Amino acid sequence: MAPSPTGPLHIGTARTSLYNYLFARHVGGTYVLRIEDTDTARSTADDERDIIDNLHWLGISWDEGPQAAGGEDIGSFGPYRQSQRMDLYAREATRLLESGAAYHCWCTPEELEGVRREHEARKEAPRYNGRCLRLTDADRARFETEGRQPAIRLRVPPEAIRFDDLIRGEVEFDNALLGDFVIVRANGVPLYHFVVVVDDEAMGITDVIRGEDHLSNTPKHIALIRALGYAEPRFAHISLILNPDRTKMSKRKSQTAITAYREQGYLPEAMVNFLAFLGWSPGTEEEIFTLDQLAERFELGAVHKGGAVFDQDRLDFLNGVYIRSLADQQLALRLRPFLPDALDDASVLRVVPLIRERLVRLADAGELVVFLVETDEQVGARYDADAMLPKQRTPAETAAAVASARDALEGLEAADFSADVLETRCRQAADEMGWKAGDFFRPLRVAVTGRTVSPPLFGSMELLGRDRVLARLDGALGKLTAEGVPTA
RNA sequence: GCCCCCAUCGUCUAGAGGCCUAGGACGCCACCCUUUCAAGGUGGAGAUCACCGGUUCGAAUCCGGUUGGGGGCACCA
């Protein structure tokens, strides 16, 4: 896998990495991570860190490459950052120059732009016209005295290029349509198409699995491979992940940074499971798989040719499945970063069973548990008639109901303040007043949590404790009576 | 403009000539369960397999074309 650190780990890059990982593990191969940072202007250390950290987060590991951002490389074909391999590229470029497979190009950006416009005007493919190929020694001497620096272009033989894509089958291009392309800039920095080919050979890469956006670049790579006398690797091009409008997934239209999903509390297990099925399926109706199970079942040949829309609803569903499958301790641990510091670890562990089934993302837990750390005043500020009154009930009637619940609970010792006991007492109180349990619980829920939607009422009361529950019931009572409606 | 790739419910997909009156999942709707919200259970709507031709006794599956969509054509990666 060879990501470019010009942005945080992208969903598409993550899936390509995953497919590479699954393939390597499935066939028992060696998985290599290489950082493509030849574009020094756009590559940053922060992005490299984001990519490596999030790949690790997903559970993807590699046999060769930088093991940590800015850290040591592992593997015997390093260094694994292209910015540290410039000598190799320079050597290979010289070799190409000497064999005549490449040549210097002195054209300026303005001249090239002019040629491009001419082609466009004549409705031709915008390709290089080979002008510098016909230069005389005198021309070259003149450019040199002018101080112009030449770029290096590959002389592309006009031949048909065909290769057997592991996913798409046989694909054929006509390289006569391709112009001689630049492989080293005038400033000496080599370009992507060149370094990728040089590195794949140097690192012994046998299988190149990448996005479909590189399919039409492959003939360039093969031309380079032939010019350099390298062995041709196998290629596999996976279709792209799409925005809902079926265009290539982009930051503009979708949330593309893995780290953003991580911050919202998506589980790496869910993300991996989801990503794996975006363009592949085991051919059965099973759909929940761990990373190891995926590696066991993954087949490149079963990867789809068509693009797949990123469906957030489905990710949400899977995330819920994985959240619900976690044991209390595990979920508590994962929830910790998403919960208020004021909530101690013991309370987190106790609240987990109450909220587990209500979570789509870990970050959703915050809203569900705030009532535990809010002050009685903060909760009280949320009391209002709309929320507290059941249908067809007046404030006075509701106040009476809350008062009866309060009476039922007041006699309990703090130690007896358990969900079971609370429920029994409250149901009894509701019964005695002739109220439906649901109606009776509504104002209690609002009183205790400040919300109409909350974790189960009695479990919440138990966690809150006797004193705070009674205080909040009193607060609600005050509010209901203050409404000033005469008693029924 | 040129080149390449692709095409099954809204979405992810099963399907490799007869098992398909096209299956599953998400989402949606209804009902059940129920202290809210969820979760869970049951059921339902939803695809003339983009279209047109061909091959075949038989096509979602093979072939050709059309249409539609996507990607690529940089001294970006």
Side-chain angles (χ1 to χ4, degrees):
Chain A
M1 186 58 207
S4 185
T6 54
L9 182 63
H10 187 283
I11 288 278
T13 312
R15 192 202 34 165
T16 305
S17 299
L18 175 64
Y19 279 23
N20 271 281
Y21 171 84
L22 296 177
F23 172 75
R25 289 287 171 270
H26 185 77
V27 303
T30 304
Y31 180 42
V32 181
L33 177 73
R34 180 175 72 223
I35 302 295
E36 313 250 307
D37 56 353
T38 51
D39 186 349
T40 48
R42 294 200 299 145
S43 299
T44 72
D46 270 1
D47 289 330
E48 180 186 314
R49 182 178 40 70
D50 184 280
I51 289 167
I52 292 180
D53 284 357
N54 282 300
L55 245 19
H56 280 313
W57 177 72
L58 286 168
I60 295 173
S61 56
W62 41 95
D63 308 301
E64 295 179 17
Q67 293 304 295
E72 293 276 302
D73 285 345
I74 181 168
S76 38
F77 298 94
Y80 292 91
R81 287 183 188 81
Q82 292 183 326
S83 55
Q84 297 164 355
R85 302 171 62 80
M86 292 300 172
D87 291 353
L88 207 215
Y89 308 139
R91 275 203 306 279
E92 291 302 79
T94 303
R95 202 155 68 77
L96 248 18
L97 245 17
E98 283 169 354
S99 74
Y103 59 91
H104 285 299
C105 173
W106 310 79
C107 297
T108 62
E110 296 73 34
E111 288 165 345
L112 294 172
E113 184 52 36
V115 172
R116 208 184 341 267
R117 264 200 291 272
E118 271 176 44
H119 281 130
E120 267 172 39
R122 275 182 279 147
K123 303 206 181 234
E124 285 172 10
R127 59 161 184 245
Y128 183 64
N129 60 9
R131 189 180 77 119
C132 289
L133 203 47
R134 298 183 293 271
L135 254 30
T136 62
D137 288 344
D139 291 330
R140 271 188 278 272
R142 196 181 75 241
F143 288 141
E144 269 167 43
T145 50
E146 282 173 11
R148 266 158 89 156
Q149 293 293 315
I152 301 174
R153 283 184 189 273
L154 183 78
R155 191 197 298 247
V156 180
E159 59 185 351
I161 299 282
R162 73 173 57 172
F163 57 96
D164 196 36
D165 191 282
L166 263 22
I167 293 170
R168 273 146 222 286
E170 191 157 285
V171 181
E172 187 176 328
F173 288 86
D174 182 4
N175 265 4
L177 266 23
L178 216 67
D180 292 345
F181 58 93
V182 173
I183 57 174
V184 180
R185 294 180 176 96
N187 67 8
V189 178
L191 257 12
Y192 168 79
H193 296 304
F194 178 53
V195 299
V196 89
V197 164
V198 171
D199 281 342
D200 282 352
E201 167 79 10
M203 295 179 177
I205 303 299
T206 54
D207 297 87
V208 175
I209 305 169
R210 68 215 324 191
E212 190 189 354
D213 45 351
H214 283 300
L215 186 59
S216 13
N217 288 328
T218 305
K220 285 184 184 176
H221 300 166
I222 291 179
L224 238 8
I225 287 166
R226 290 181 181 174
L228 287 158
Y230 292 163
E232 196 176 306
R234 284 180 289 269
F235 292 101
H237 290 92
I238 54 185
S239 57
L240 304 175
I241 298 180
L242 277 20
N243 292 309
D245 65 4
R246 304 203 76 91
T247 54
K248 178 178 172 181
M249 195 182 189
S250 66
K251 200 159 67 178
R252 283 292 324 148
K253 296 173 180 170
S254 308
Q255 185 173 77
T256 56
I258 289 286
T259 197
Y261 290 90
R262 182 180 179 177
E263 282 162 10
Q264 289 166 65
Y266 285 96
L267 266 33
E269 297 92 326
M271 197 51 124
V272 160
N273 199 149
F274 173 73
L275 254 19
F277 276 71
L278 233 41
W280 173 82
S281 114
T284 63
E285 285 177 0
E286 303 159 275
E287 50 186 5
I288 304 299
F289 286 89
T290 63
L291 190 60
D292 287 344
Q293 291 168 329
L294 287 168
E296 197 177 306
R297 305 285 289 276
F298 188 79
E299 297 284 351
L300 258 190
V303 173
H304 288 157
K305 298 175 187 164
V309 173
F310 185 93
D311 180 11
Q312 175 96 31
D313 281 337
R314 197 174 176 83
L315 208 212
D316 285 349
F317 161 75
L318 281 172
N319 208 49
V321 168
Y322 279 95
I323 286 178
R324 272 171 254 132
S325 77
L326 291 175
D328 288 1
Q329 304 276 355
Q330 263 303 312
L331 185 49
L333 213 59
R334 303 228 203 177
L335 238 20
R336 185 68 268 187
F338 296 89
L339 297 175
D341 293 338
L343 200 65
D344 61 89
D345 290 350
S347 299
V348 172
L349 192 55
R350 292 215 298 162
V351 82
V352 158
L354 263 36
I355 62 175
R356 172 188 283 112
E357 285 168 1
R358 278 157 256 265
L359 300 176
V360 171
R361 302 170 213 84
L362 297 178
D364 297 340
E367 173 66 13
L368 250 21
V369 307
V370 265
F371 76 93
L372 289 170
V373 296
E374 283 176 331
T375 63
D376 295 346
E377 287 69 31
Q378 284 172 315
V379 172
R382 303 177 67 99
Y383 297 163
D384 67 71
D386 270 0
M388 282 193 283
L389 303 185
K391 281 194 183 69
Q392 319 279 350
R393 294 293 184 181
T394 66
E397 289 172 327
T398 305
V402 172
S404 85
R406 191 199 186 288
D407 289 346
L409 304 186
E410 190 178 16
L412 287 171
E413 295 292 323
D416 297 329
F417 222 69
S418 69
D420 285 353
V421 175
L422 295 171
E423 179 165 0
T424 308
R425 297 238 172 168
C426 285
R427 281 188 188 282
Q428 197 180 347
D431 226 36
E432 283 165 7
M433 292 194 65
W435 277 49
K436 276 179 16 195
D439 287 349
F440 192 82
F441 297 163
R442 181 184 176 92
L444 301 183
R445 180 185 310 283
V446 174
V448 170
T449 68
R451 279 146 256 254
T452 52
V453 172
S454 80
L457 180 56
F458 304 105
S460 299
M461 285 183 171
E462 179 183 325
L463 281 180
L464 211 48
R466 177 180 183 277
D467 295 347
R468 293 169 78 194
V469 168
L470 291 180
R472 289 183 185 187
L473 290 179
D474 285 338
L477 231 27
K479 181 81 177 185
L480 284 165
T481 353
E483 294 293 317
V485 177
T487 45

